[in-house]
Structures are given as structure tokens and as C-alpha cells.
């Protein structure tokens, strides 16, 4: 499967974020690769490869849709607990994907960044991540953030630690610590919080994903396993989102401007 590069590029330029019924930031837990492989009587590795192809398609679809930022959970801080062979395979797949996809993503104006504790990865992998970020940093199409060795609790603790160091060094007054300041120290601080969260694979849990960021995100769960997730399935999630009334604590009437 390959990108239809010309179409991807043209439509990516047409992106506009004026429509309030469309999310500008989508965060996805891509789950169900292993079960998908099992259904076909194949090894889990087969599911991860198929999942990778879906990821490629969904990045392309998001670039074509009116989506500014896409954040994907690729490997959690807890996924190290998996059998060594599976972890190794995921690392190989990750490295190969970085080598094969970055230039195409770059041609399509996608900006890539990684979030998570990357020092745990092999140096080769860390270098490829840096290279991908550097290579695409000036792009202003879709912002693709990939969460690797990421945990929401780690993110919050890491922010607290940075703030504590600044307070110790006299760079900030502890009294000035508030939600805004804290937000500036967690991952994805350059982006609006996710509007829409999607989890495939049937589980209705957050699995230590963006704990800080999902406070007011619309949550969409589907039983579809990640390798079967498609443009059409993404469309269903976007339709679900379009039907939500986001109140952020206010009343429905206030939001509709009737009784503000
Ligand atoms: C998601 O699919 C991929 C990663 C966690 C890396 P899973 O591998 O968790 O698939 P299931 O949940 O076992 O089906
Ligand atoms: C969450 O899926 C992590 C990723 C998709 C990368 P898991 O499959 O690891 O989550 P649990 O273990 O079912 O909660
Ligand atoms: Mg899973």
C-alpha cells in the first residue's frame, strides 16, 4: 500500500480549522493488533505489521481531513512487560518505519515529533527519532506526535519535577503554579488539548495515555481492531464528534447561546 502522494499533498494544503464540528486534535490508542492476528490464526507479529499499514493510512486520512494534530500511542511505558521477542519486533518495526516513511511524510508537509521517555531506546532508534524531528520541523501541515515509552503518569511526574527544579533555582515562585503553568510543562504543550480520543480494540480504558490532556476530550471507543480501522471508521468517529455538545461545565443553554 502506498500513498497517493499527489492527492495527499494537494488536499493537505486545503486544510482549514474553522469548522467547530471537526476536531483539530485527535489522539488515538491503536489497540487490537494481537487479537487481529489471532483471529487469522497468525502470530502477533503479523498483527503489528498490519497495524503499521493502518497507521500509514490513517495518518494520510487525517492529513486530508481538517485535522491539525494527530497523536498516536505506539508503545506505552508498560509495554516493556511484553515477551522480549515481541518488544524486539516492535522496535525493529519502529526503526524500519522511521527509515521508510519519514521522507514521504516530509514531502506531504507532515511535522513529526515523539513524546515519551526516549532515553530507554537503543541509540540507533533515538538518532532516527531526532533525525525525523529535525527533517520535518519546518512543515506546517499535519502535526504528528508519536507516543513511545510514554505514560501519562510519567508525563505528569516529569512536569512536576521540572517545575520543582525551577522553583528550587528561583526561576519561579511556587505561588505562580497553576493549571496553565503546569500545562506548559507536560508533553504536547504546543498544541490544543485533544478534542477527540479514539480507542480501537474494544477496551474502554485509558491505559495510562494522556491523563492530563484528556480532561475534556470527547471519548470514542470502537470494537474494530486496529488493523481493520479505516478511513470509513475514522469517518464514524468524526461523525460521533460532530454530534457532541461540548459544555466544559456550562449548561447546554449557555452553550447554545440561549440563556448565557
Ligand atoms: C496494540 O495492539 C499495539 C501495541 C500495544 C504496541 P496490541 O498488541 O495491544 O493488541 P491486543 O490488544 O493484544 O489485541
Ligand atoms: C495501550 O494498549 C498501548 C498502546 C496501544 C501502545 P495496551 O494493549 O498496552 O493496553 P492494555 O494493556 O490492554 O490496557
Ligand atoms: Mg492491547
Amino acid at each position: 500500500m502506498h500513498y497517493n502522494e499527489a492527492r495527499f499533498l494537494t488536499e493537505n494544503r486545503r486544510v482549514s480549522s474553522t469548522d467547530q464540528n471537526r476536531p483539530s486534535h485527535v489522539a488515538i490508542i491503536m489497540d487490537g493488533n494481537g487479537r487481529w492476528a489471532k483471529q487469522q490464526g497468525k502470530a502477533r507479529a503479523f498483527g503489528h505489521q498490519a497495524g503499521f499499514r493502518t497507521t500509514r493510512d490513517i495518518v494520510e486520512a487525517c492529513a486530508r481531513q481538517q485535522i491539525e494534530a494527530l497523536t498516536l500511542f505506539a508503545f506505552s511505558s508498560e509495554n516493556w512487560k511484553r515477551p522480549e521477542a515481541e518488544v524486539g519486533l516492535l522496535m525493529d518495526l519502529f526503526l524500519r518505519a522511521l527509515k521508510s516513511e519519514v521522507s514521504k511524510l516530509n514531502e506531504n508537509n507532515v511535522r513529526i515529533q515523539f513524546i515519551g521517555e526516549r532515553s530507554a531506546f537503543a541509540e540507533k532508534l533515538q538518532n532516527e527519532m531526532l533525525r525525523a524531528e529535525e527533517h520535518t520541523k519546518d512543515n506546517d501541515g499535519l502535526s504528528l506526535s508519536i507516543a513511545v515509552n510514554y505514560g501519562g503518569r510519567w508525563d505528569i511526574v516529569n512536569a512536576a519535577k521540572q517545575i520543582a527544579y525551577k522553583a528550587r533555582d528561583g526561576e519561579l515562585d511556587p505561588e505562580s503554579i497553576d493549571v496553565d503553568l503546569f500545562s506548559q510543562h507536560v508533553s504536547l504543550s504546543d498544541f490544543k488539548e485533544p478534542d477527540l480520543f479514539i480507542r480501537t480494540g474494544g477496551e474502554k480504558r485509558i491505559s495510562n495515555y494522556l491523563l492530563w490532556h484528556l480532561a475534556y476530550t470527547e471519548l470514542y471507543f470502537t470494537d474494530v481492531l486496529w488493523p481493520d480501522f479505516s478511513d470509513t471508521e475514522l469517518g464514524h468517529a468524526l461523525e460521533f464528534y460532530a454530534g457532541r455538545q461540548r459544555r466544559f461545565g456550562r449548561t447546554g443553554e449557555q452553550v447554545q447561546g440561549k440563556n448565557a
Side-chain angles (χ1 to χ4, degrees):
M1 235 179 288
H2 290 286
Y3 288 119
N4 178 336
E5 288 174 25
R7 183 193 50 165
F8 182 4
L9 189 62
T10 336
E11 300 197 7
N12 197 13
R13 284 205 188 111
R14 250 183 257 145
V15 166
S16 116
S17 60
T18 47
D19 188 345
Q20 299 228 322
N21 290 325
R22 302 189 70 81
S24 68
H25 185 176
V26 176
I28 307 183
I29 296 187
M30 313 181 287
D31 195 22
N33 294 349
R35 280 163 285 162
W36 185 87
K38 200 168 178 186
Q39 278 180 358
Q40 332 261 316
K42 300 252 171 67
R44 293 179 61 86
F46 189 73
H48 291 312
Q49 268 146 12
F52 164 64
R53 291 192 289 275
T54 300
T55 306
R56 208 158 57 173
D57 293 347
I58 294 303
V59 170
E60 179 188 333
C62 288
R64 277 190 276 109
Q65 302 272 354
Q66 297 176 328
I67 291 169
E68 290 166 17
L70 174 66
T71 301
L72 300 175
F73 208 1
F75 192 84
S76 77
S77 45
E78 287 75 31
N79 287 148
W80 297 107
K81 294 179 199 158
R82 292 190 178 199
E84 215 177 301
E86 181 166 345
V87 171
L89 176 113
L90 287 166
M91 294 301 141
D92 280 356
L93 194 59
F94 189 28
L95 191 61
R96 273 192 282 135
L98 278 170
K99 288 191 166 149
S100 66
E101 301 305 310
V102 171
S103 57
K104 247 177 293 170
L105 290 167
N106 185 49
E107 281 165 29
N108 287 300
N109 203 17
V110 176
R111 182 171 159 215
I112 307 169
Q113 70 155 350
F114 296 89
I115 60 168
E117 180 55 280
R118 63 174 90 181
S119 61
F121 293 110
E123 210 177 310
K124 249 191 328 201
L125 209 44
Q126 290 188 47
N127 290 340
E128 286 297 328
M129 287 189 247
L130 276 177
R131 201 179 64 89
E133 287 174 334
E134 186 57 28
H135 200 61
T136 62
K137 70 177 189 320
D138 296 325
N139 294 339
D140 59 4
L142 176 73
S143 281
L144 174 64
S145 301
I146 303 173
V148 287
N149 190 21
Y150 178 86
R153 287 177 174 169
W154 163 83
D155 204 353
I156 293 169
V157 168
N158 191 48
K161 199 186 280 180
Q162 287 179 52
I163 293 169
Y165 280 131
K166 286 186 183 170
R168 181 198 64 185
D169 297 342
E171 287 170 36
L172 65 78
D173 177 356
E175 272 306 314
S176 71
I177 301 171
D178 59 10
V179 170
D180 277 350
L181 184 125
F182 207 91
S183 295
Q184 287 160 28
H185 290 81
V186 293
S187 304
L188 302 175
S189 57
D190 291 344
F191 301 99
K192 191 172 168 284
E193 282 161 14
D195 302 296
L196 172 65
F197 160 94
I198 300 172
R199 182 174 187 145
T200 62
E203 310 297 352
K204 291 183 179 60
R205 55 181 175 245
I206 304 292
S207 299
N208 199 16
Y209 198 25
L210 301 161
L211 299 180
W212 173 267
H213 313 71
L214 295 177
Y216 266 106
T217 303
E218 299 298 328
L219 307 177
Y220 179 83
F221 297 93
T222 172
D223 288 339
V224 174
L225 303 171
W226 181 247
D228 288 331
F229 197 75
S230 61
D231 214 341
T232 310
E233 299 296 337
L234 177 67
H236 292 155
L238 295 176
E239 270 167 38
F240 157 86
Y241 180 82
R244 300 292 96 201
Q245 184 190 53
R246 305 190 72 189
R247 292 191 282 276
F248 299 98
R250 289 171 293 165
T251 67
E253 288 74 16
Q254 283 178 301
V255 173
Q256 286 168 356
K258 284 182 187 158
N259 192 18

